[in-house]
Amino acid sequence: MAAKIQTSFCLPTFSIPTSKPKPYLKSFTIKASKSISGRKLRAAVIGGGPAGSSAAEALASGGVETFLFERNPPSVAKPCGGAIPLCMLEEFDIPNHLIDRHVTHMRIFSPSNIAVDFGKTLKPHEFIAMLRREVLDSFLRSRAHAAGATAISGLVTALDLPASPDAPYTVHYTANGSSRRSLAVDVVIGADGANSRVAKAIGAGDYACAIAFQERIKLPDEKMAYYENLAEMYVGDDVSPDFYAWVFPKCDHVAVGTGTVRSKKDIKLYQRGIRERVKPKINGGKVIKVEAHPIPEHPRPVRVRGCLLYTSPSPRDL
């Protein structure tokens, strides 16, 4: 769905400690509906975003044979502002070096372009963490792999539900875009986003989706300096009839985007609107990536069926 322009971003390097305590892993219990003799419980986690990777890490750390499916892991990224609250950094033990910007100023613009500044009451240690999804997701997947999860780079094409209480779930997928394969498992976690095949397989029900559209723009150094410690949000019918638009700073560029539920067909019109609003600030910038993605507005009605769990994406996904 997203048009992509090839480029290179500044990517942090990281190593995954194997002996560090994991406060972000909560205790959990898995009960199989059948006895399994001679082998570990086997689970498939479909989708390698934050939810899927965290689930895979928890399962693998608990001794479950875990397979984490993700389509094209290196290039997967959703168009999102990437603002992470401090509580999430602590809860999921996200290292500081993954953070692109420690933003302490937020400026919100009204439809008539009147600006209101926020952040004056922040304590010295408080900030808004700006991350890129591809960096965060890659780190979380690596941590799941370090915990023992097996990575499978492939597209899940179908899911067969058990024909009897003793039968497995069968995950059908294509590896590297060519060969067709299948995997029998005891437990399935669907973390495959707004257009989830897992949700469809269990009849999880429908929900309304927004569409988000974002351009990453590399600015001249003097203009990038303006966004060194500043994030902006814009409201008004010119940028979105029901959401907001944003300019969020990343490592070497700004993310400029918008979203809407009410008028998805006009998303490019709203993107032109936010570009027009910020035109003086981004003149001379170069678009290095364009991306779009559906974002759910509420959870699906059904979340669990048998030994299958569907994790609805957050209504305000990262």
Side-chain angles (χ1 to χ4, degrees):
M1 181 172 188
K4 295 183 179 179
I5 299 174
Q6 294 299 320
T7 185
S8 60
F9 299 125
C10 48
L11 295 175
T13 58
F14 50 81
S15 59
I16 307 298
T18 56
S19 58
K20 183 178 180 180
K22 297 179 172 63
Y24 48 88
L25 294 184
K26 307 299 183 183
S27 60
F28 62 93
T29 301
I30 299 174
K31 295 182 180 180
S33 60
K34 49 191 174 297
S35 61
I36 302 173
S37 59
R39 65 171 177 83
K40 293 181 178 181
L41 188 72
R42 182 178 295 164
V45 180
I46 302 172
S53 296
S54 298
E57 182 188 5
L59 289 165
S61 297
V64 177
E65 185 180 9
T66 305
F67 299 86
L68 176 59
F69 290 83
E70 178 57 70
R71 179 184 183 183
N72 301 323
S75 61
V76 170
K78 289 185 178 181
C80 55
I84 306 296
L86 287 178
C87 61
M88 182 177 174
L89 295 178
E90 180 178 355
E91 182 177 356
F92 288 87
D93 198 24
I94 297 172
N96 187 68
H97 66 267
L98 295 188
I99 301 172
D100 283 338
R101 303 276 175 173
H102 294 66
V103 170
T104 57
H105 293 83
M106 172 70 76
R107 187 166 292 155
I108 300 180
F109 290 83
S110 73
S112 58
N113 256 1
I114 296 175
V116 177
D117 286 337
F118 291 83
K120 296 179 181 179
T121 60
L122 288 178
K123 298 177 181 178
H125 70 282
E126 293 178 332
F127 59 91
I128 303 169
M130 291 292 172
L131 289 85
R132 285 159 290 155
R133 275 292 301 271
E134 66 269 25
V135 173
L136 175 63
D137 291 9
S138 178
F139 172 78
L140 294 176
R141 283 195 296 268
S142 296
R143 198 159 67 183
H145 302 160
T150 298
I152 297 180
S153 179
L155 172 65
V156 172
T157 57
L159 174 65
D160 293 341
L161 303 184
S164 68
D166 295 325
Y169 294 86
T170 302
V171 179
H172 301 282
Y173 64 100
T174 57
N176 300 320
S178 56
S179 59
R180 297 181 180 180
R181 302 179 185 178
S182 298
L183 178 69
V185 297
D186 309 297
V187 177
V188 176
I189 294 182
D192 47 343
N195 297 319
S196 170
R197 292 183 183 275
V198 175
K200 177 184 272 188
I202 66 170
D206 295 325
Y207 55 14
C209 278
I211 184 71
F213 189 98
Q214 177 175 273
E215 294 172 287
R216 303 198 199 192
I217 302 176
K218 194 161 187 174
L219 302 178
D221 290 345
E222 66 275 10
K223 292 199 172 182
M224 192 67 201
Y226 172 80
Y227 289 106
E228 175 71 25
N229 192 31
L230 172 69
E232 295 180 334
M233 296 173 62
Y234 292 78
V235 295
D237 288 343
D238 58 326
V239 298
S240 176
D242 50 350
F243 266 44
Y244 60 88
W246 63 86
V247 182
F248 284 175
K250 301 303 173 72
C251 63
D252 63 350
H253 60 279
V254 291
V256 180
T258 185
T260 179
V261 176
R262 188 183 304 167
S263 188
K264 292 188 278 290
K265 63 182 177 59
D266 294 324
I267 187 65
K268 290 186 177 181
L269 174 65
Y270 302 131
Q271 182 67 14
R272 287 196 294 271
I274 180 57
R275 285 184 63 100
E276 187 62 29
R277 285 259 212 129
V278 300
K279 186 175 180 178
K281 303 171 190 175
I282 65 172
N283 268 345
K286 178 183 178 182
V287 176
I288 56 177
K289 193 171 187 180
V290 181
E291 48 202 354
H293 205 277
I295 299 177
E297 278 299 285
H298 55 77
R300 294 181 189 267
V302 177
R303 306 292 291 277
V304 179
R305 197 180 296 281
C307 290
L308 190 153
L309 167 68
Y310 170 68
T311 63
S312 289
S314 165
R316 289 292 181 271
D317 211 354
L318 296 174

